[in-house]
Amino acid sequence: MVSALVSLTDVSIAQKKSTKINKPATASNLSDNKFELGVAGGLNLNRFTKGQPHTGYNTGFNGGILANYYVYKNFALQLEVNYMQQGGQMITFKDDTRLGLPESFTTKNVKNSSYQLNSIEVPLLLNYRIKLKQGWQPSIYAGGSYAYTLNVTEHYQKTGNLLPEEDIIATVTGNQGATSLFTSNRFNLIAGANVKLPLSSKLKLLIDFRYLNGLSPVRENYSYMEKTGFGNNIRTNSFISRVGVVMSIK
């Protein structure tokens, strides 16, 4: 009887040792991937720098692809290729009568312009991931980008004296190309933060906010009076919001 009990005890212990305990897959475990690919897009709030007075804001769109590679623990390099609409508003006071030309609507007016710079932007960012137990992945990042201006569109509202002798004021609105007024190549500094929320074992929802600060001028020697010797270099800055989807790859 004692022998039988000892035998049953040995079998029970052997079964416990041979049983493999599988931990349930958590969002944190599923985030331990070295490589991520994603797409994202959203809205920009743009403004020219205040090197000259009478500058203001406008809005634009952004969209592109990203690749994220974790080089060491929670540090990753992020490369992106984006389509970006930047720019801002400028008010120009034109007065060619000082050059001896007769006063007319074309020689003397005030023009409120909103410039939209359509560009291809390539950011390179250093990303630090903060891992949380519930699976959320907040990150902070910083880096720089190169931007190439494809074309520039000017949306303007021009106000002036239509008939100077009779003091009749008129306002005209329109659109025109303005690519030649702006530089083609520029560099930017970027700082931002995002959070990735798990959708499945491989997919995450990306919510991203960043500030883009222009390092190089987008327009050189700009003068709101169109007067030589009173110009400044103008840069463009943007606050950018994006939403996208990121896929983890082993």
Side-chain angles (χ1 to χ4, degrees), residues 21-158:
I21 300 175
N22 294 320
K23 294 182 179 180
T26 64
S28 178
N29 292 333
L30 293 171
S31 68
D32 294 330
N33 298 284
K34 294 285 288 183
F35 191 63
E36 294 175 331
L37 289 175
V39 295
L43 298 174
N44 305 341
L45 180 62
N46 309 307
R47 180 174 182 136
F48 289 121
T49 54
K50 297 179 180 179
Q52 289 278 300
H54 311 294
T55 60
Y57 295 92
N58 71 4
T59 57
F61 297 97
N62 71 83
I65 58 176
L66 63 92
N68 215 7
Y69 182 74
Y70 287 90
V71 292
Y72 178 74
K73 294 185 178 180
N74 294 320
F75 289 93
L77 287 176
Q78 184 165 307
L79 180 66
E80 302 176 5
V81 179
N82 299 319
Y83 168 75
M84 186 77 66
Q85 290 182 335
Q86 288 188 275
Q89 289 184 330
M90 293 178 176
I91 296 179
T92 305
F93 298 88
K94 186 180 185 69
D95 185 6
D96 288 342
T97 61
R98 65 176 181 265
L99 303 176
L101 297 176
E103 183 177 346
S104 67
F105 185 82
T106 57
T107 60
K108 191 173 184 179
N109 58 67
V110 178
K111 185 169 67 169
N112 188 350
S113 301
S114 178
Y115 293 97
Q116 185 180 87
L117 283 67
N118 300 296
S119 307
I120 296 296
E121 185 211 20
V122 183
L124 180 61
L125 309 170
L126 179 62
N127 193 315
Y128 177 72
R129 176 180 62 183
I130 305 168
K131 297 175 68 175
L132 301 180
K133 291 183 179 180
Q134 62 265 37
W136 290 31
Q137 290 183 16
S139 298
I140 56 175
Y141 57 84
S145 71
Y146 163 77
Y148 176 78
T149 304
L150 300 172
N151 57 71
V152 181
T153 302
E154 179 187 9
H155 308 275
Y156 65 85
Q157 184 181 75
K158 188 183 295 185

Side-chain angles (χ1 to χ4, degrees), residues 179-235:
T179 307
S180 62
L181 299 177
F182 293 84
T183 59
S184 298
N185 305 284
R186 62 188 188 276
F187 295 92
N188 309 289
L189 283 177
I190 298 175
N194 62 43
V195 63
K196 297 171 187 173
L197 310 178
L199 297 175
S200 68
S201 61
K202 292 293 183 181
L203 290 179
K204 303 181 186 72
L205 174 67
L206 173 69
I207 302 174
D208 184 283
F209 298 97
R210 66 181 58 172
Y211 182 73
L212 188 151
N213 180 68
L215 283 179
S216 51
V218 69
R219 186 168 177 176
E220 298 178 339
N221 298 318
Y222 167 73
S223 170
Y224 74 98
M225 298 182 296
E226 294 192 342
K227 192 172 182 180
T228 304
F230 289 85
N232 293 94
N233 291 338
I234 300 295
R235 297 172 285 113

